[in-house]
Amino acid sequence: LWNTKTILHKLEKIHSEHVRACVVSFDGKIALTASDDNTLVAWDCKSGNRLSSMHGHSDAVVACAISTDGDIAISGSKDTMCIVWDVKAGTRKLTLTAHEAPVLSVSITGNGRYALSASEDKEMILWDLKQNGKILYRFQNHTAAVVGCALARQGHTAISVGLDKTVQMWTIDCVEKEEKVSEFDSYGSGTVLGTRASMK
């Protein structure tokens, strides 16, 4: 952990294998690290103390994301699963199993309601975590592994990048009464310039 030019904390001998990903909560209080040792670890940024170690994956954890308040996290793994966590308790809330290949990237809205996962299976999936991990949409425009995804804090905009050399930007419209994707329009030529998933 860094403070401009000064290292605040050097955290060693916590993970037993390579560390693959990290993220910090919006308020800067909590950090997450994901590792080849199959674990996700939460840290107190001020003290450098470990808050929790999260166990549940059977292969390397290569992606992680955290809600604005730092209460909820999601991890993605080579075991093809995503796990949603209670960060402070270090306990599993949900297991998301729909990908057929390693999950390479994850993202979550600020309130912890929606999540995205991107995978080597060429798909990106939008999940409703409030509805027990319900799949809202499978985005299948990529023709190669989807290696990165990001979801705006309020959930209305998403972006994905893939080994097919495309950047795909998505507009997501959610209506609270019914969270069901009923319309999908894409536009642009060559690289996908924009797409829409509309939940009505």
Side-chain angles (χ1 to χ4, degrees), residues 33-82:
T33 52
S35 172
D36 281 355
D37 63 10
N38 306 352
T39 69
L40 184 71
V41 176
W43 307 91
D44 182 302
C45 290
K46 185 176 181 179
S47 67
N49 293 330
R50 178 167 42 183
L51 297 175
S52 60
S53 293
M54 290 160 267
H55 301 264
H57 286 290
S58 60
D59 205 337
V61 184
V62 298
C64 57
I66 193 168
S67 62
T68 297
D69 59 12
D71 288 342
I72 305 220
I74 182 171
S75 56
S77 170
K78 288 184 178 180
D79 63 10
T80 76
M81 296 191 305
C82 295

Side-chain angles (χ1 to χ4, degrees), residues 83-177:
I83 298 179
V84 180
W85 305 90
D86 179 317
V87 174
K88 293 175 183 176
T91 56
R92 184 191 315 216
K93 293 174 66 71
L94 292 170
T95 301
L96 310 177
T97 55
H99 286 293
E100 298 180 355
V103 177
L104 303 179
S105 182
V106 292
S107 186
I108 194 169
T109 52
N111 62 6
R113 171 71 186 268
Y114 302 103
L116 279 178
S117 57
S119 170
E120 281 186 11
D121 64 11
K122 308 176 188 178
E123 283 194 346
M124 182 171 70
I125 297 178
L126 177 66
W127 310 83
D128 187 337
L129 305 184
K130 188 175 180 180
Q131 295 193 53
N132 203 35
K134 177 182 178 181
I135 295 176
L136 295 180
Y137 205 82
R138 291 177 179 265
F139 302 95
Q140 299 175 324
N141 277 28
H142 283 285
T143 58
V146 188
V147 297
C149 65
L151 186 61
R153 280 194 297 153
Q154 295 181 344
H156 299 301
T157 304
I159 187 169
S160 59
V161 295
L163 294 184
D164 56 7
K165 303 179 183 179
T166 67
V167 177
Q168 303 188 11
M169 300 181 69
W170 310 84
T171 297
I172 301 171
D173 299 323
C174 296
V175 177
E176 290 293 333
K177 291 183 180 180

